[in-house]
Structure formats: C-alpha cells, structure tokens
Amino acid sequence: MTGREPDEDRERGDADLEISASYTAKSIRFKEKRGVRTRIEAVGDVNVDDVGEGEREGLPDDPEMGKTYRDVKGGKRIAARIRRPDGSG
C-alpha cells in the first residue's frame, strides 16, 4: 500500500463523510464468491455524491475459491459529499 498523494489530501478535505477500513492477514481462503456493495443514503432534502475506492496487496481482484493467499493486506475508503438539491452546501 502506498502513501497518499497531495491531490488525495485535497479530495479527502472535500468530503462531508468518510469511512475507512483496512485489513491484514497471514493467510486467507474464500469458500464462496460474494459481491461487496457500498452505498450511502441520506434522509431529508439532500443529494449525496459518493465514491468508493480500495486497494489490496497479495490478493487478485477476482480470487479463486478454495485457494489460500498469504500475507495479504488492503483497505477501502468510502467518501461522500452531501449537498442540497439547489446546489448549496
């Protein structure tokens, strides 16, 4: 995993809501394939512009079921900008 670039700091500062998680494992094996979905919803008169980004090391984007992967790590970041429908913040 790499450090953040200067532009990422600016983008992170623009988010009204941000959730981040990371993981490490000595070994991992998948028994079944599951999709991961992220969604941010708001109640009230607002619109949500959201973005999800992730990174991983030692683990392919489409892992094989039953195969053991070793020394894996990764993370996921979900960020959202919340705004009123009239465009005001």
Side-chain angles (χ1 to χ4, degrees):
M1 294 171 40
T2 61
R4 293 192 317 225
E5 298 295 324
D7 285 343
E8 291 178 1
D9 286 335
R10 183 174 42 80
E11 291 170 8
R12 287 173 186 265
D14 290 343
D16 295 313
L17 172 67
E18 180 177 328
I19 302 169
S20 298
S22 63
Y23 61 87
T24 60
K26 290 184 179 184
S27 68
I28 188 169
R29 182 179 339 171
F30 295 90
K31 291 183 178 181
E32 60 185 66
K33 191 175 226 173
R34 293 188 173 201
V36 176
R37 295 184 328 186
T38 58
R39 181 177 64 205
I40 297 174
E41 294 183 14
V43 176
D45 193 18
V46 296
N47 294 324
V48 178
D49 299 322
D50 62 344
V51 62
E53 54 189 40
E55 56 185 278
R56 46 171 84 171
E57 287 183 16
L59 196 59
D61 288 336
D62 192 16
E64 289 181 45
M65 300 306 104
K67 181 176 179 178
T68 299
Y69 296 91
R70 303 199 183 284
D71 299 318
V72 299
K73 58 183 165 179
K76 178 80 173 176
R77 174 183 169 259
I78 304 165
R81 180 84 175 146
I82 301 170
R83 57 185 170 76
R84 293 189 180 107
D86 63 7
S88 63

